[in-house]
Amino acid sequence: IRSGITQPLKLARAAQQARRSSDALSIAEDYLRDHPDDVLAMTIAAEASLGLNDVDRAEPLLRQVVDRAPGFPPASFLLADLLIAQLRLREAAEVLESLLKRLPQQDNVKRFLADVRSQMNQPAAAAALYGQVLGSRPGNPADRYKYAQNLRAAGEKDESIAGLRRTIALSPLGGHAWSSLALYFPDELTDEDERRVRAAIGDSAVHPSDLRLLHVTLSVIEHRRGNHEAAFAAIASAKALP
């Protein structure tokens, strides 16, 4: 596959990256007339077809590539995305499971499959996959957060709280973990947590999307104390953000 990146296919890829899907498809299909078994050309043609919302053309191409090159992640990822868009989650999971058997150390495959399992309401399976990812990359806050959220959905309260706390330790300005802790486990919030949330709100480095969730967290804290005006003000601040 690597050696098959010829000049026409480079042009097709460049066209697709520039969102000129019609041009990319035309170049790839011209190439396939002379090289009908080229899996890279098939993949580019399929991706361009998806860019043109032609699912019926894309799926058979991707199925062929996955059959012929089952260890080629881009084709499996595109096929899984296509199936997910059609709510064919079981089939998407099967595609990713097959790829994972061939590439058992690939964290990106595990992440993708974990997200699909979560959408299928299989949080324990999703958490197990994220646990594997964290075994090799323990310092990724996004992985930590998704791990904790799936543990919560699976009914593992203590483990979920611990996961959210670890996420906050890795990313103290991250609003998702703070707001999840506040909304799902409000009794766990402490005075020290309030201090840290207020400090994060006042930090010039905080991202606007995180700032919104930090204000939500503060609103929960104030509401539980009976400070309803302060709770409303915090929510109003969140809503006022762009």
Side-chain angles (χ1 to χ4, degrees), residues 1-239:
I1 292 171
R2 292 191 186 95
S3 65
I5 305 178
T6 60
Q7 186 60 27
L9 294 185
K10 288 180 181 178
L11 292 173
R13 285 177 61 180
Q16 181 58 29
Q17 289 170 357
R19 298 186 180 181
R20 293 187 288 110
S21 296
S22 293
D23 293 339
L25 181 59
S26 178
I27 296 169
E29 288 189 329
D30 284 346
Y31 192 83
L32 283 168
R33 290 189 184 96
D34 295 326
H35 307 84
D37 295 325
D38 191 294
V39 294
L40 183 57
M42 289 182 193
T43 304
I44 295 171
E47 186 174 8
S49 296
L50 289 174
L52 297 169
N53 296 316
D54 192 344
V55 175
D56 292 336
R57 173 182 280 176
E59 183 172 350
L61 285 169
L62 291 171
R63 294 281 186 189
Q64 287 184 64
V65 177
V66 170
D67 286 343
R68 297 181 185 187
F72 182 48
S76 291
F77 286 174
L78 283 171
L79 180 56
D81 278 331
L82 180 156
L83 295 168
I84 291 167
Q86 296 181 329
L87 301 180
R88 295 157 65 186
L89 298 179
R90 181 183 58 79
E91 293 176 67
E94 289 172 354
V95 169
L96 295 171
E97 288 279 11
S98 179
L99 182 61
L100 187 58
K101 288 178 181 177
R102 291 184 173 273
L103 303 172
Q105 304 305 318
Q106 287 287 327
D107 286 340
N108 284 342
V109 182
K110 294 176 184 176
R111 284 191 187 95
F112 199 166
L113 180 57
D115 287 342
V116 174
R117 291 296 182 197
S118 183
Q119 291 180 60
M120 294 172 71
N121 196 27
Q122 298 176 357
L129 286 162
Y130 269 110
Q132 293 177 34
V133 173
L134 290 168
S136 59
R137 297 178 181 273
N140 187 318
D143 290 340
R144 280 281 173 198
Y145 175 72
K146 289 186 177 182
Y147 178 57
Q149 285 290 73
N150 280 290
L151 286 171
R152 177 190 60 76
E156 303 291 344
K157 176 183 176 180
D158 293 342
E159 290 81 356
S160 178
I161 292 169
L164 291 172
R165 291 287 187 190
R166 292 190 190 100
T167 306
I168 291 168
L170 290 168
S171 181
L173 301 183
H176 287 89
W178 276 119
S179 61
S180 290
L181 192 64
L183 294 170
Y184 295 111
F185 309 111
D187 291 342
E188 298 298 317
L189 292 169
T190 66
D191 291 342
E192 174 61 16
D193 288 331
E194 179 189 359
R195 186 195 68 75
R196 295 178 66 190
V197 169
R198 290 186 182 278
I201 289 173
D203 195 311
S204 60
V206 67
H207 190 277
S209 61
D210 290 310
L211 183 58
R212 186 179 297 107
L213 293 172
L214 289 166
H215 278 299
V216 170
T217 303
L218 184 59
S219 177
V220 172
I221 292 172
E222 295 288 15
H223 176 74
R224 288 180 60 78
R225 289 177 173 170
N227 300 331
H228 302 305
E229 289 187 8
F232 181 83
I235 285 293
S237 295
K239 297 285 285 183

